[in-house]
Amino acid sequence: MIADPSLFKEPERILVVDDDTEIRDALCAALQYEGYEVHIAVNGKEAVDRAQKLKPNLILMDVQMPVIGGIEATRRLKEDPVTVHIPILMVTVLEKKENIVKALEAGAIDYVTKPFFMPELTARVKAVLTLKKHYDESIEVKKQLNISEEKYRLVVDNASEAILVIQDGMSRFFNPKIREFMRCSSKD
């Protein structure tokens, strides 16, 4: 019997960034309970450094932290080609609505307010990770499509026969051999 490869998939990595030990520990415990691989950072600078090395599937980022705040760290992560596609879920205090707007403008995908309701937080994490998975799959499909298109182009361009594609009464595609064919036809 062959084992299902999906049973052996690596857990999704989440980087939790918060300078408050109690909040960080609560987030880590809840996420580990859900089966995620959790890493931590205590400020925005550390978050940027860790994210570049870890390439987590998701970052949970506090807004107000020492050294570099969460909004500035988000901005830096979104400017870096290595980390630009990592979704960031901001964690902020409810009454600071301007922080939510700034965080979203900096590139965060969503936010959770403190104090948070753990079932809501884990539901948002799952939703964001599902979107990330679909995004990653679409990028992979696009890469495969480009490879297939390049192979097709090579075959058609090097074909020994003339190929002409006419669609809606217009020439849409032809290979180099069609020129030879057209020259021969005009001499007849």
Short mmCIF file of all heavy atoms in Angstrom, two decimals, residues 23 27 30-31 35 65 88 98 118 125 135 142-143 147 160 163 167-168:
data_model
loop_
_atom_site.label_atom_id
_atom_site.label_comp_id
_atom_site.label_asym_id
_atom_site.label_seq_id
_atom_site.Cartn_x
_atom_site.Cartn_y
_atom_site.Cartn_z
N ILE A 23 0.93 38.04 25.02
CA ILE A 23 0.19 37.95 23.76
C ILE A 23 0.89 37.00 22.80
O ILE A 23 0.26 36.13 22.18
CB ILE A 23 -0.01 39.34 23.13
CG1 ILE A 23 -0.98 40.15 23.99
CG2 ILE A 23 -0.51 39.23 21.69
CD1 ILE A 23 -1.15 41.58 23.58
N LEU A 27 -0.70 33.57 21.29
CA LEU A 27 -0.79 33.34 19.85
C LEU A 27 -0.06 32.06 19.46
O LEU A 27 -0.59 31.23 18.70
CB LEU A 27 -0.23 34.53 19.08
CG LEU A 27 -1.06 35.81 19.08
CD1 LEU A 27 -0.26 36.96 18.50
CD2 LEU A 27 -2.35 35.61 18.32
N ALA A 30 -2.02 28.90 20.60
CA ALA A 30 -3.23 28.66 19.80
C ALA A 30 -2.87 28.15 18.41
O ALA A 30 -3.50 27.22 17.90
CB ALA A 30 -4.05 29.95 19.69
N LEU A 31 -1.85 28.73 17.80
CA LEU A 31 -1.46 28.34 16.45
C LEU A 31 -0.79 26.96 16.43
O LEU A 31 -1.02 26.17 15.51
CB LEU A 31 -0.55 29.40 15.83
CG LEU A 31 -1.25 30.75 15.59
CD1 LEU A 31 -0.23 31.82 15.25
CD2 LEU A 31 -2.32 30.65 14.53
N GLY A 35 -1.79 23.12 14.68
CA GLY A 35 -0.88 22.34 13.84
C GLY A 35 0.12 23.14 13.03
O GLY A 35 0.81 22.59 12.17
N MET A 65 5.52 48.39 18.24
CA MET A 65 6.65 47.64 18.79
C MET A 65 7.88 48.53 18.81
O MET A 65 7.96 49.51 18.06
CB MET A 65 6.94 46.41 17.93
CG MET A 65 5.86 45.36 17.94
SD MET A 65 6.30 43.94 16.93
CE MET A 65 6.27 44.65 15.28
N ILE A 88 0.44 39.33 5.39
CA ILE A 88 0.65 39.86 6.75
C ILE A 88 -0.70 40.20 7.34
O ILE A 88 -1.48 40.96 6.77
CB ILE A 88 1.57 41.10 6.72
CG1 ILE A 88 2.93 40.73 6.12
CG2 ILE A 88 1.72 41.68 8.14
CD1 ILE A 88 3.85 41.90 5.85
N GLU A 98 -6.94 54.41 12.79
CA GLU A 98 -5.96 54.96 11.84
C GLU A 98 -4.81 53.98 11.62
O GLU A 98 -4.24 53.92 10.53
CB GLU A 98 -5.44 56.34 12.29
CG GLU A 98 -4.58 56.33 13.55
CD GLU A 98 -5.36 56.40 14.85
OE1 GLU A 98 -6.60 56.42 14.84
OE2 GLU A 98 -4.71 56.42 15.90
N MET A 118 -9.99 34.11 20.12
CA MET A 118 -9.13 33.11 19.49
C MET A 118 -9.79 32.36 18.33
O MET A 118 -9.15 32.18 17.29
CB MET A 118 -8.62 32.15 20.57
CG MET A 118 -7.19 31.69 20.40
SD MET A 118 -5.96 32.85 19.79
CE MET A 118 -5.18 33.32 21.30
N VAL A 125 -6.71 33.27 10.15
CA VAL A 125 -5.44 32.66 9.75
C VAL A 125 -5.70 31.60 8.68
O VAL A 125 -5.03 31.57 7.64
CB VAL A 125 -4.70 32.05 10.97
CG1 VAL A 125 -3.59 31.10 10.54
CG2 VAL A 125 -4.14 33.17 11.85
N TYR A 135 -2.97 31.33 -4.36
CA TYR A 135 -2.07 32.24 -5.07
C TYR A 135 -0.82 31.47 -5.51
O TYR A 135 -0.41 31.56 -6.67
CB TYR A 135 -1.68 33.42 -4.17
CG TYR A 135 -0.62 34.29 -4.78
CD1 TYR A 135 -0.95 35.25 -5.72
CD2 TYR A 135 0.72 34.13 -4.44
CE1 TYR A 135 0.03 36.02 -6.32
CE2 TYR A 135 1.70 34.90 -5.02
CZ TYR A 135 1.35 35.85 -5.97
OH TYR A 135 2.33 36.61 -6.56
N LYS A 142 1.02 29.12 -13.81
CA LYS A 142 1.51 30.10 -14.79
C LYS A 142 2.92 29.74 -15.27
O LYS A 142 3.21 29.81 -16.47
CB LYS A 142 1.49 31.50 -14.18
CG LYS A 142 1.85 32.58 -15.16
CD LYS A 142 1.73 33.96 -14.54
CE LYS A 142 2.12 35.02 -15.54
NZ LYS A 142 2.09 36.36 -14.96
N LYS A 143 3.78 29.31 -14.35
CA LYS A 143 5.15 28.90 -14.73
C LYS A 143 5.10 27.70 -15.68
O LYS A 143 5.79 27.68 -16.69
CB LYS A 143 5.96 28.52 -13.49
CG LYS A 143 6.43 29.68 -12.67
CD LYS A 143 7.22 29.18 -11.45
CE LYS A 143 7.54 30.29 -10.50
NZ LYS A 143 8.19 29.80 -9.26
N ILE A 147 6.30 27.40 -19.62
CA ILE A 147 7.22 26.36 -20.10
C ILE A 147 6.60 25.62 -21.28
O ILE A 147 7.26 25.40 -22.30
CB ILE A 147 7.59 25.39 -18.95
CG1 ILE A 147 8.48 26.10 -17.93
CG2 ILE A 147 8.28 24.13 -19.49
CD1 ILE A 147 8.67 25.34 -16.62
N SER A 160 8.97 21.29 -40.06
CA SER A 160 9.36 21.26 -41.48
C SER A 160 8.20 21.66 -42.39
O SER A 160 8.40 21.91 -43.56
CB SER A 160 9.86 19.85 -41.84
OG SER A 160 8.85 18.90 -41.60
N ILE A 163 2.99 26.42 -41.16
CA ILE A 163 1.83 26.47 -40.27
C ILE A 163 1.28 27.89 -40.27
O ILE A 163 2.01 28.85 -40.05
CB ILE A 163 2.22 26.05 -38.83
CG1 ILE A 163 2.74 24.61 -38.82
CG2 ILE A 163 1.02 26.21 -37.89
CD1 ILE A 163 3.29 24.17 -37.48
N GLN A 167 -7.93 32.94 -37.64
CA GLN A 167 -9.05 32.98 -36.71
C GLN A 167 -9.86 34.24 -37.00
O GLN A 167 -9.28 35.33 -37.12
CB GLN A 167 -8.52 32.99 -35.27
CG GLN A 167 -9.57 32.85 -34.22
CD GLN A 167 -8.94 32.78 -32.83
OE1 GLN A 167 -7.84 33.25 -32.61
NE2 GLN A 167 -9.67 32.20 -31.90
N ASP A 168 -11.15 34.09 -37.10
CA ASP A 168 -12.04 35.21 -37.41
C ASP A 168 -11.60 35.93 -38.68
O ASP A 168 -11.64 37.16 -38.76
CB ASP A 168 -12.10 36.19 -36.23
CG ASP A 168 -12.66 35.55 -34.98
OD1 ASP A 168 -13.53 34.68 -35.10
OD2 ASP A 168 -12.21 35.94 -33.87
#
